[in-house]
């Protein structure tokens, strides 16, 4: 049977072992190193089904827990699979799950003596299993002491995929966004492993400047650069691990732009412009995200060009067509 681990994408602590069908409650505290008071001490209940390869996530705390940007809801349960991203609260503290095969020598996971002889510390002992069966109350686990490699998926997988790459050099690679929110949407990623904006320091300043220069190159080589405006920037609280710079055309003409969060993540201050990140690194040596930034995702839908408020995404998209046709007419005239 597989072994399941719950992994911090910010690498703030070692992976947490989720025993098969055993409830594990996590939240604010030493297990996760989360100190944010918006996160309850009992924020989520996790139960891994190692035979089927998924984890049942139940939100216990009052503040929102999300999986791939979709809210779970207090008291509700959602299935989480490898490749999906769980945020404990308010789109913060990203985690994923990883299932790995048990070593072939560990054929009897509940045989304590056999496990000790074969040196398999990851497998729960008989004592742990019996305690779980006898007590209806979920038990808290401690952070696993195991030393495992960093989870690699999502952007880290795509950046090495030749079919996704559109440019690369010795410092960065540019890939097409799998779910583009506009006609042109690229991601500039450094080869250096940097988990998020909050991990950037002044020593990364030259790298971030290079990312900005590459973003400008991508815009210049675009065949519609004259008729479409572009912005380059970072999401304040990204949903994917590994720092990445968005280069996106401002037409937002894409079937992948489906909800308010998608829209507001690119058209409010949730989207931090590349030049602003460079300035923060040069002056403060780090990137600061304003408190309450996650609330910007809930703002009303407003056209980024004329600021008109629209009731729905379909209405917004229809409205954007008028701006696109106007820009096209202007471009043709020149």
């Amino acid at each position: 049977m597989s072994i399941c681990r719950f992994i911090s994408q910010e690498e703030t602590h070692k992976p947490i072992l989720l025993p098969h069908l055993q409830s594990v409650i996590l939240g604010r505290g030493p297990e996760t190193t989360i100190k944010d008071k918006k996160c309850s001490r009992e924020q989520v209940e996790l139960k891994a089904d190692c035979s089927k390869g998924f984890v049942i996530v139940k939100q216990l705390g009052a503040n929102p827990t999300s999986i791939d940007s979709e809210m779970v809801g207090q008291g509700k349960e959602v299935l989480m699979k490898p490749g999906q991203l769980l945020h404990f609260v308010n789109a913060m503290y990203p985690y994923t799950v990883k299932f790995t095969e048990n070593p072939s020598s560990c054929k009897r996971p509940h045989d304590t003596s056999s496990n000790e002889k074969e040196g398999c510390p990851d497998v729960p002992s008989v004592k742990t299993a019996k305690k779980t069966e006898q007590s209806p109350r979920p038990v808290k686990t401690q952070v696993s002491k195991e030393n495992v490699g960093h989870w690699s998926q999502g952007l880290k997988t795509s950046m090495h995929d030749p079919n996704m790459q559109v440019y690369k050099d010795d410092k960065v690679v540019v890939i097409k966004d799998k779910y583009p929110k506009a006609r042109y949407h690229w991601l500039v990623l450094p080869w250096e492993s940097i988990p998020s904006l909050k991990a950037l320091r002044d020593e990364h300043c030259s790298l971030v400047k290079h990312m900005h220069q590459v973003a400008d190159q991508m815009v210049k080589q675009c065949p519609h650069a004259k008729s479409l405006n572009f912005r380059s920037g970072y999401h304040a609280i990204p949903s994917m691990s590994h720092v990445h710079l968005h280069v996106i055309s401002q037409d937002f003409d894409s079937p992948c732009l489906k909800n308010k969060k998608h829209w507001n993540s690119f058209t409010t201050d949730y989207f931090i412009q590349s030049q602003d990140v460079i300035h923060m690194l040069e002056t403060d040596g780090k990137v600061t995200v304003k408190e309450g930034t996650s609330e910007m995702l809930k703002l009303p839908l407003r056209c980024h060009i004329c600021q008109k408020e629209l009731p729905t995404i379909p209405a917004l998209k229809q409205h954007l067509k008028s701006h696109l046709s106007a820009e096209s007419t202007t471009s043709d005239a020149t």
Side-chain angles (χ1 to χ4, degrees):
M1 187 181 294
S2 298
I3 295 174
C4 181
R5 299 179 179 92
F6 191 58
I7 302 175
S8 167
Q9 293 302 282
E10 296 179 337
E11 299 182 291
T12 54
H13 58 79
K14 292 182 179 180
I16 298 173
L17 185 66
L18 302 181
H20 177 57
L21 296 182
Q22 178 176 324
S23 292
V24 176
I25 293 179
L26 296 173
R28 186 176 80 251
E31 295 92 347
T32 59
T33 69
I34 296 175
K35 299 179 180 180
D36 190 340
K37 291 185 178 180
K38 293 181 180 179
C39 180
S40 301
R41 292 187 182 279
E42 296 187 353
Q43 179 65 30
V44 295
E45 178 184 340
L46 309 174
K47 184 180 290 185
D49 191 323
C50 297
S51 62
K52 296 181 179 178
F54 62 76
V55 175
I56 300 174
V57 179
K58 182 177 182 179
Q59 180 182 322
L60 303 177
N63 282 307
T65 290
S66 60
I67 296 177
D68 284 352
S69 300
E70 296 297 326
M71 298 302 174
V72 176
Q74 189 171 18
K76 296 182 180 180
E77 295 183 346
V78 176
L79 291 185
M80 179 180 180
K81 298 180 180 180
Q84 293 186 302
L85 205 64
L86 178 148
H87 286 88
F88 263 83
V89 289
N90 301 324
M92 296 187 291
Y93 315 110
Y95 282 78
T96 188
V97 293
K98 182 177 182 180
F99 289 88
T100 55
E101 289 300 318
N102 240 339
S104 57
S105 58
C106 302
K107 295 182 178 179
R108 299 179 63 191
H110 296 301
D111 186 339
T112 307
S113 60
S114 174
N115 290 336
E116 292 175 345
K117 291 178 182 178
E118 297 296 338
C120 304
D122 287 339
V123 182
S125 65
V126 171
K127 183 177 180 181
T128 302
K130 285 184 177 179
K131 183 177 180 181
T132 305
E133 292 170 1
Q134 293 173 355
S135 174
R137 296 189 54 169
V139 296
K140 293 186 178 181
T141 71
Q142 298 298 318
V143 176
S144 171
K145 302 297 184 181
E146 64 204 60
N147 182 20
V148 299
H150 186 271
W151 172 74
S152 177
Q153 62 85 45
L155 293 181
K156 291 188 176 183
T157 299
S158 297
M159 65 189 288
H160 293 282
D161 182 354
N163 294 323
M164 297 290 290
Q165 296 171 352
V166 294
Y167 170 87
K168 63 180 178 180
D169 58 30
D170 60 337
K171 294 181 179 179
V172 302
V173 60
V174 181
I175 63 173
K176 297 173 288 187
D177 193 294
K178 278 188 175 181
Y179 305 100
K181 303 303 185 290
R183 293 179 186 177
Y184 296 95
H185 189 177
W186 302 292
L187 305 178
V188 184
L189 304 99
W191 292 115
E192 181 181 348
S193 180
I194 304 173
S196 64
L197 273 182
K198 65 190 298 184
L200 290 173
R201 293 295 180 266
D202 51 0
E203 62 264 26
H204 297 121
C205 198
S206 61
L207 173 60
V208 174
K209 286 182 178 179
H210 180 69
M211 293 171 66
H212 180 80
Q213 292 170 353
V214 170
D216 284 346
Q217 292 175 19
M218 294 302 301
V219 174
K220 290 177 181 178
Q221 59 84 40
C222 176
H224 296 99
K226 292 184 179 180
S227 60
L228 295 175
N229 292 320
F230 282 81
R231 290 182 75 198
S232 299
Y234 304 81
H235 283 151
I237 308 172
S239 58
M240 296 290 287
S241 178
H242 199 80
V243 68
H244 52 285
L245 173 63
H246 291 268
V247 187
I248 184 168
S249 58
Q250 296 300 285
D251 54 273
F252 295 108
D253 181 15
S254 169
C256 296
L257 197 152
K258 298 180 178 180
N259 56 50
K260 182 185 291 187
K261 290 180 182 178
H262 291 164
W263 178 255
N264 285 333
S265 69
F266 287 100
T267 60
T268 67
D269 287 342
Y270 191 91
F271 190 76
I272 306 176
Q273 295 199 92
S274 178
Q275 297 95 326
D276 293 335
V277 169
I278 293 172
H279 179 71
M280 282 189 271
L281 290 177
E282 289 179 330
T283 56
D284 304 325
K286 63 180 181 179
V287 178
T288 302
V289 176
K290 297 178 181 178
E291 186 176 352
T293 296
S294 61
E295 295 301 309
M296 293 180 183
L297 297 178
K298 302 176 184 178
L299 291 173
L301 293 170
R302 288 188 181 278
C303 173
H304 63 308
I305 298 174
C306 68
Q307 299 305 308
K308 180 178 180 179
E309 185 173 330
L310 285 304
T312 64
I313 286 292
L316 174 63
K317 288 188 172 184
Q318 187 63 35
H319 171 78
L320 292 177
K321 290 180 180 180
S322 63
H323 289 297
L324 288 173
S325 60
E327 289 179 3
S328 178
T329 302
T330 303
S331 177
D332 291 341
T334 57

